Amino acid sequence: MEREKLLLPIDGVPMILKVAHAVAVSSVDETILIYRREEVKEAAGCCVDRTVHNSAAYDGQSEAIRLGLRSIHPKSSACLFIMGDQPLIQAEMINTLIKSAVNAPGKILVPLYGNRPGSPVLFPNVFWPELMQLRGDEGGRKVIRAHPDRVAQIPVAMETAGLDVDTWEEYQELLKKSGE
């Protein structure tokens, strides 16, 4: 995008703040923001429990995953990786994933938007060692593919919550949908 997409305004606030607020009002126990740019921390730091600077962001997604796992409370039973570029995510959807973990212990929970899997993804702590082994721009999908029998897809009523913003065109389309 040639600009910091997480700071682009959605409904008058930076995209990352919109996401961080949804997490803050959900039933997530601990929120850790992994950030690359100081402006992102400043925009959303008010809504999180802790911030961790990712000085090796150029190493890809895996570095953020490892930083998050190193920062999480050691007695946590699961973690939920939420991307900052999903501005339509809502606390209700996050809570659905968390509640589903009770009925699917030990399962990786993947939201299903219509018939399309997406994020955020909930990983029980049994998968953390594998997540720590990821390198480069590998994300949790590698672990998900390695354990198809341990994955539960959770239908999400609001299909648009899974939209992420990776291009200027997608951002413009999102603004049209939100009436801006």
Side-chain angles (χ1 to χ4, degrees), residues 109-142:
L109 303 183
V110 178
L112 197 58
Y113 302 101
N115 52 2
R116 184 179 61 88
S119 64
V121 176
L122 186 141
F123 287 93
N125 58 10
V126 68
F127 294 101
W128 296 357
E130 281 181 72
L131 290 166
M132 289 296 287
Q133 298 304 310
L134 296 173
R135 294 292 178 259
D137 215 22
E138 291 179 318
R141 283 189 187 105
K142 182 177 182 181

Side-chain angles (χ1 to χ4, degrees), residues 6 16 32-37 40 48 50-55 63-69 71 81:
L6 300 180
I16 188 65
I32 303 167
L33 172 69
I34 309 298
Y35 69 96
R36 180 180 51 135
R37 297 181 66 175
V40 171
V48 301
R50 197 166 359 148
T51 59
V52 177
H53 181 251
N54 186 355
S55 60
E63 184 60 23
I65 290 169
R66 288 191 304 275
L67 283 171
L69 289 173
S71 302
F81 290 104

